Amino acid sequence: MNWQTFYRQTLRDMVLWLPLAGVIGLCAGLTSALLLVSLDWATATRVAHPILIVFLPFAGLLVGWVYYEWGRAIESGNNLLIDEIHQPRAVTQLRMMPLIFIGTVFSHLFGASVGREGTAVQMSGALADQIALITKRKVQDRRVILMAAMSAGFAGVFGTPLAGAVFGLEVQALGKMRNNALFPCLIASLVSDWLVRSLGVHHTHYVIPSIPSVTMLGLLAVLFAGALFGLAGKSFAELTHWVAGHFKRIKYPPLRPFVGGLCVASLVLIFGAERYIGLGVPSIVESFNQPIPFWDAPIKLFFTTLSLGAGFKGGEVTPLFYIGATMGNALAPLLNMPFPLLAGLGFVAVFAGAANTPLTCTLMAIELFGAAIGPYALLACVVAFLFSGHSSIYMAQRWGSGKGRPITDDKAGVRLSDLTNIK
C-alpha cells in the first residue's frame, strides 16, 4: 500500500468513526450521569434510614427473580461484552440496560457492598450494540464499537477519559491490545466524560498534597507495596469466584442473593459495620487524610466478595479502590512513606492486579493525582499486575501473552476461566 492509499484509508476511517464514537460517547455519558445521580440518591437515602439494611435480602430476592425470569442471557454482564468482542454471536439484548441499572440502585439503596463501573460499562455496551445493529456494521466494526462503549462507560463514571480509552483496549485481552480501536475508544471516552461534566455531575476528588521526588528507597518501598497490592487483587478475584461457586449450590438462583443479603444484613446489624457497605467513598477520602485502622481493607474485601458472589449487581472497581487505598494507608508507616501517596498507589494498583490493566490504572493515577505520581504509579501497577498471576475479576479476558515469560501460540486466546487446564 503506497502512502496516498494509506492516508485516504485513514481519512475514511476517521470520517466513519468520529461521528459513530461520538454518539457512543453521548449515550455512555447520559447513562453514566443518570447512574451517578441515582447512586448518590440511593446512598444518601440509605445513610439517612439505616433500617433499610433489613430489607437487603428481599431486594436481592426481587432482583434475582427478575434476572432469572428475563435476564439469564445477560447475567454475565461485563464478561458477556468481552466474549462478544472475541467471539461475536448475537447482539446484546437491550434489556441489559434497565435490568443492571435497577439491580445496582437496589443493591446500593439496601446496603450491598458493590461498585458501579460494571453497571456503567454494561449500560453503555447494550446501547452501543443497538447502534451496531441499526447501522448494520460488520463483525470487525462491532468489536470496535463494543470496546469504545466499554471505554466510554468507564470514563463517564470515573471522570478519567484517558484511562477509559485504554481500558476498552486493555481489559479484553491480557497482554494484547487492538490498537486499531484506539481512536474510537478515545473519542467515545472524551465525549462521555465531557457530557457528564457538562450536566453538572461531579466526581469525588482524592487529593495527595505533595508527591516526593523519586528515590531508590522510595522505589524499593513501592515495589514491595506493589507486590502486596497484587496479592490483594488476586485474593479479591479468586475469593469472589469461590464464593459465587458455593452460592451456585443453591439450585434456585433468586435465593442466592436472598441468602447473601441475609448474611450481609445480619453482620452489619450485629457488628455495626455500616462503614463497609455501599461504595465506601467517605472511607476512601479519609484514607488520604489521616491514618485509619488496618482492618478496613480485609473487612471490606469480605463484605464485597460476599455481596458479589451472592449475585448483587454493581461492579468491583470502587470496592477495589477502597481496599487498595485503606491498605496503602496501613502500609505507609511500615514503609516510611507518606500515607496519602501509598493510599493513592493502592487505590489504582489493587485494581490493576485484579483486572490485569496496569496501563489503564497508571493513566488513572496520573489523571487523578497529577503527572508527578507517574513513575511510582507505573511501578506499583506493573508489579501488582505481575503478582496477581492468572487471576482476574473478568474471567472472560483472553490470555494474549505471559506474565514474565512467553507462552506458546496454542495457548494464546484462551479464556482466563479455562487457565486451570493450562500447565
Side-chain angles (χ1 to χ4, degrees):
M1 181 184 295
N2 60 43
W3 68 270
Q4 291 178 322
T5 303
F6 171 79
Y7 282 111
R8 279 199 299 268
Q9 183 63 50
T10 299
L11 287 174
R12 280 198 297 267
D13 289 344
M14 292 183 69
V15 169
L16 165 68
W17 285 113
L18 191 60
L20 193 55
V23 172
I24 293 170
L26 290 174
C27 292
L30 283 172
T31 54
S32 295
L34 174 64
L35 176 66
L36 290 171
V37 170
S38 300
L39 293 188
D40 283 346
W41 168 83
T43 300
T45 303
R46 189 192 70 244
V47 171
H49 306 282
I51 193 63
L52 286 174
I53 189 70
V54 172
F55 302 100
L56 180 62
F58 305 100
L61 179 65
L62 176 60
V63 172
W65 178 78
V66 169
Y67 264 85
Y68 182 67
E69 292 293 330
W70 293 292
R72 295 187 215 182
I74 56 172
E75 194 165 14
S76 57
N78 287 357
N79 287 307
L80 173 63
L81 297 178
I82 294 173
D83 276 333
E84 286 297 324
I85 290 171
H86 290 282
Q87 295 177 319
R89 294 184 177 90
V91 174
T92 307
Q93 296 177 5
L94 186 58
R95 70 181 67 178
M96 175 183 275
M97 180 183 165
L99 290 186
I100 189 62
F101 175 76
I102 294 170
T104 302
V105 172
F106 268 54
S107 295
H108 283 276
L109 178 62
F110 295 101
S113 178
V114 294
R116 54 192 174 185
E117 112 293 336
T119 304
V121 168
Q122 290 172 52
M123 292 169 72
S124 176
L127 283 175
D129 224 3
Q130 310 312 308
I131 295 173
L133 176 64
I134 293 170
T135 57
K136 300 181 180 179
R137 306 315 308 168
K138 296 179 181 178
V139 170
Q140 291 298 333
D141 289 343
R142 180 169 174 252
R143 289 191 172 110
V144 175
I145 286 172
L146 287 175
M147 283 188 277
M150 296 184 76
S151 290
F154 189 94
V157 81
F158 291 128
T160 53
L162 300 184
V166 176
F167 176 77
L169 302 172
E170 193 176 26
V171 73
Q172 44 88 28
L174 195 155
K176 184 178 181 181
M177 296 172 62
R178 298 174 184 265
N179 292 330
N180 65 310
L182 179 57
F183 179 72
C185 287
L186 178 60
I187 296 300
S189 294
L190 290 170
V191 171
S192 176
D193 178 61
W194 165 80
L195 183 57
V196 171
R197 295 177 189 275
S198 298
L199 292 173
V201 179
H202 302 289
H203 301 281
T204 304
H205 292 283
Y206 307 101
V207 179
I208 300 178
S210 63
I211 298 172
S213 302
V214 175
T215 64
M216 186 54 64
L217 287 177
L219 291 175
L220 288 174
V222 170
L223 189 151
F224 178 76
L228 296 180
F229 294 147
L231 293 174
K234 176 183 177 70
S235 299
F236 180 93
E238 293 188 354
L239 187 58
T240 300
H241 301 314
W242 181 83
V243 172
H246 279 272
F247 269 104
K248 286 179 180 177
R249 295 180 179 180
I250 301 174
K251 299 303 181 182
Y252 185 55
L255 284 179
R256 298 167 191 168
F258 176 82
V259 174
L262 192 61
C263 294
V264 171
S266 298
L267 291 170
V268 169
L269 291 171
I270 293 170
F271 295 103
E274 291 82 3
R275 178 181 179 87
Y276 306 106
I277 59 177
L279 291 172
V281 170
S283 297
I284 299 175
V285 173
E286 187 180 344
S287 70
F288 284 85
N289 297 325
Q290 63 190 54
I292 58 176
F294 70 88
W295 55 78
D296 272 10
I299 295 178
K300 181 64 173 178
L301 185 148
F302 169 78
F303 273 102
T304 305
T305 55
L306 177 58
S307 297
L308 292 172
F312 283 97
K313 305 303 178 183
E316 304 89 350
V317 176
T318 304
L320 284 168
F321 292 162
Y322 183 119
I323 294 165
T326 54
M327 183 178 174
N329 182 288
L331 287 173
L334 302 177
L335 299 177
N336 195 30
M337 295 287 283
F339 63 80
L341 175 62
L342 261 293
L345 294 177
F347 183 100
V348 293
V350 172
F351 174 38
N356 294 310
T357 53
L359 300 181
T360 296
C361 294
T362 300
L363 285 172
M364 172 174 273
I366 292 171
E367 289 184 281
L368 293 176
F369 310 125
I373 203 173
Y376 286 125
L378 182 58
L379 177 62
C381 291
V382 168
V383 172
F385 164 76
L386 293 174
F387 271 78
S388 67
H390 297 167
S391 303
S392 176
I393 53 176
Y394 306 121
M395 292 306 289
Q397 277 181 331
R398 264 48 174 191
W399 188 251
S401 64
K403 291 187 180 183
R405 64 187 180 93
I407 61 172
T408 56
D409 290 340
D410 63 318
K411 301 295 189 285
V414 174
R415 213 172 183 265
L416 287 191
S417 60
D418 298 329
L419 276 178
T420 52
N421 299 322
I422 296 177
K423 307 299 182 185

